[in-house]
Amino acid sequence: MTEATITSQEVKRDTVTCQLCLTQLPYDFYGKKAPYCPGVVYLDDTYLFRDPYSPEARVLPVAGSCDLCSTIACINCSVFYTKRFCGKCVLENSIYFPVQIVNSIRDKVTQT
C-alpha cells in the first residue's frame, strides 16, 4: 500500500489539549511532514489533522508548541511568525511583533 492510499480508518487519532483555552483537538500526526500528504512541509513541529472532507488527503494544522515557553497552543491561541508563539508570549513580548499580529492575538483573547 502506498502512502496516498491510507484511508481515514487506518489513521490513528489522538487528542491534544490547548493549554490556553483547554480545547481538546483531534490530531493524527505530530511533526513537520505527514506521510499521507507528501507535498506539505511545515517549518515547525505541528499537530496535524487529516481533513476528512478532502479527497486529496489534505492536512489541517490544529496546534503547536510555543517556541518561547513550550506551551501547547491551538491555532486560535497562537500565531506563526517565523516560529510558533502562544498568545500569552506574544502579548508579553509585544514590542517584538508587528502591531497587526499583537492586535489579532489581543482580539482573540478578548473573545474567549
Side-chain angles (χ1 to χ4, degrees), residues 43-92:
L43 298 175
D44 64 338
D45 287 330
T46 305
Y47 291 91
L48 301 170
F49 179 71
R50 185 174 180 184
D51 184 351
Y53 302 107
S54 172
E56 293 93 27
R58 292 189 178 135
V59 293
L60 303 171
V62 294
S65 296
C66 177
D67 193 63
L68 290 176
C69 69
S70 301
T71 294
I72 296 173
C74 69
I75 296 303
N76 288 333
C77 293
S78 66
V79 64
F80 187 88
Y81 181 68
T82 67
K83 296 180 180 183
R84 176 140 327 267
F85 299 98
C86 72
K88 181 179 169 212
C89 286
V90 170
L91 295 176
E92 289 175 358

Side-chain angles (χ1 to χ4, degrees), residues 79 81 90-91 93-107:
V79 64
Y81 181 68
V90 170
L91 295 176
N93 298 283
S94 61
I95 63 170
Y96 301 108
F97 292 93
V99 173
Q100 297 88 342
I101 289 177
V102 174
N103 289 341
S104 172
I105 288 292
R106 191 172 285 128
D107 291 344

